[in-house]
């Protein structure tokens, strides 16, 4: 497959990230490596979206702290970003609504027509003008055919992701890009397919099988329209899990299970274990958390008491 015919993917992970662990970052890396090895996908970005404070989970520290820890954890990454939108809403947001927000935002910012897993886009990508006097993103000053390549488009997507999602520490407040800012004049681009996929561990996949826990209409959208990339953890069998849910069985082809030869200890994804290690002064906390996150936790006196 050529670069332009491969599906271009943004991986989105939702969760408490209380705190974010080494394992969470490894999930992104493993998912990207696997998707690239399939030859069908190009991962152009990753988004970490911490949950709103009103989620109500016991011991959940303020989103102010969780956002900062997430930003510290990805500060050396050139493709994973932290997005504060979920935390800055008036109340808790469903996973479905977070996915839809990012799909709509990417559509506006990049000018790309984002497809879902069932109906790939067949319409050329258009950049819609809002102010003709403003500077264009891509400007062709001659009459010969000089259609921007997929690489140029992806470069613009990457810039947009950085502007939207990345607010790096140190910081006094969070800033937001103007979502209605002009993004260029009308331009027909080479067709690419861009999708946002939910990245999760097999434990979240298993939660889909618990009656009443998830809204079925949301599950239809998450799995049927977006799709999921699952990183197995703790010996779970995603194929067995999928057989316990009619919706997961229905959209089985939209669920990509990461299969590789690596031996990552996915138990280090556990925020619970990292909090217990902090509470007990366990030196193995360095196995769970990166040093900048540990330093921030100690400085802010987070998780040291059992109450969080």
């Amino acid at each position: 497959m050529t670069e332009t015919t491969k599906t271009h993917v943004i991986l989105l992970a939702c969760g408490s990230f209380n705190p974010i662990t080494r394992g969470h970052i490894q999930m992104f890396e493993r998912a990207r490596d696997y998707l690239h090895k399939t030859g069908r996908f190009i991962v152009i970005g990753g988004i970490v979206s911490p949950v709103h404070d009103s989620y109500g989970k016991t011991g959940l520290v303020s989103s102010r702290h969780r956002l900062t820890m997430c930003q510290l954890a990805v500060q050396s990454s050139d493709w994973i970003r932290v997005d504060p939108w979920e935390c800055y809403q008036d109340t808790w947001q469903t996973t479905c609504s977070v996915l839809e927000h990012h799909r709509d935002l990417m559509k506006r910012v990049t000018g790309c027509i984002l497809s879902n897993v069932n109906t790939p886009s067949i319409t050329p990508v258009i950049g819609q003008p809002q102010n003709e006097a403003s500077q264009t993103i891509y400007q062709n000053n001659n009459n010969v055919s000089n259609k921007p390549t997929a690489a140029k488009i992806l470069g613009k997507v990457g810039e947009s992701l950085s502007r939207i999602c990345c607010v790096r520490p140190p910081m006094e407040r969070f800033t937001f890009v103007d979502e209605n800012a002009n993004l260029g004049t009308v331009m027909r681009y080479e067709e690419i397919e861009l999708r946002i996929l939910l990245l999760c561990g097999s434990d979240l996949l298993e939660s889909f099988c618990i009656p009443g826990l998830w809204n079925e209409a949301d599950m239809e959208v998450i799995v049927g329209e977006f799709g999921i990339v699952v990183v197995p953890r703790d010996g779970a069998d995603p194929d067995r899990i999928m057989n316990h849910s009619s919706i997961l069985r229905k959209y089985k082809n939209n669920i990509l299970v990461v299969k590789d030869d690596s031996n990552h200890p996915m138990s280090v994804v556990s925020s619970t274990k990292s909090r217990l290690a902090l509470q007990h002064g366990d030196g193995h906390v360095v196995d769970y958390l990166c040093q900048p996150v540990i330093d921030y936790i100690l400085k802010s006196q987070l998780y040291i008491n059992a109450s969080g």
Side-chain angles (χ1 to χ4, degrees), residues 110-280:
T110 67
C112 290
I113 298 173
L114 273 70
S115 61
N116 60 37
V117 292
N118 294 318
T119 56
S121 169
I122 58 174
T123 308
V125 175
I126 300 295
Q128 186 65 37
Q130 293 191 6
N131 183 347
E132 293 182 359
S134 298
Q135 182 181 5
T136 61
I137 294 177
Y138 303 117
Q139 187 167 6
N140 186 357
N141 293 321
N142 53 51
N143 294 325
V144 298
S145 176
N146 187 25
K147 188 163 56 174
T149 63
K152 290 183 180 178
I153 298 172
L154 297 184
K156 184 52 61 181
V157 172
E159 291 177 19
S160 300
L161 275 172
S162 296
R163 290 168 55 212
I164 297 166
C165 307
C166 184
V167 187
R168 296 189 184 282
M171 60 190 176
E172 297 298 326
R173 60 185 177 84
F174 295 105
T175 56
F176 292 89
V177 67
D178 179 2
E179 296 178 5
N180 298 311
N182 174 63
L183 297 167
T185 60
V186 173
M187 195 69 147
R188 188 171 292 269
Y189 299 131
E190 187 172 347
E191 170 69 3
I192 63 169
E193 184 184 352
L194 176 61
R195 296 215 310 255
I196 296 178
L197 298 178
L198 179 66
L199 174 65
C200 67
S202 50
D203 54 332
L204 187 143
L205 187 70
E206 195 162 20
S207 73
F208 283 167
C209 303
I210 301 175
L213 184 61
W214 288 80
N215 180 290
E216 289 198 4
D218 282 1
M219 288 179 61
E220 287 275 351
V221 173
I222 293 169
V223 190
E225 293 188 16
F226 286 93
I228 303 178
V229 181
V230 182
V231 180
R233 52 183 294 193
D234 299 331
D237 181 358
D239 290 327
R240 178 191 59 79
I241 293 172
M242 285 186 273
N243 287 331
H244 284 79
S245 165
S246 60
I247 292 178
L248 295 181
R249 288 197 303 271
K250 178 181 177 181
Y251 297 111
K252 189 172 183 178
N253 291 338
N254 298 346
I255 301 172
L256 301 164
V257 179
V258 173
K259 298 175 182 177
D260 55 29
D261 297 327
S262 61
N263 187 28
H264 289 293
M266 293 309 291
S267 61
V268 299
V269 173
S270 175
S271 295
T272 301
K273 290 183 179 179
S274 66
R275 292 196 302 272
L276 288 173
L278 286 163
Q279 291 164 15
H280 295 112

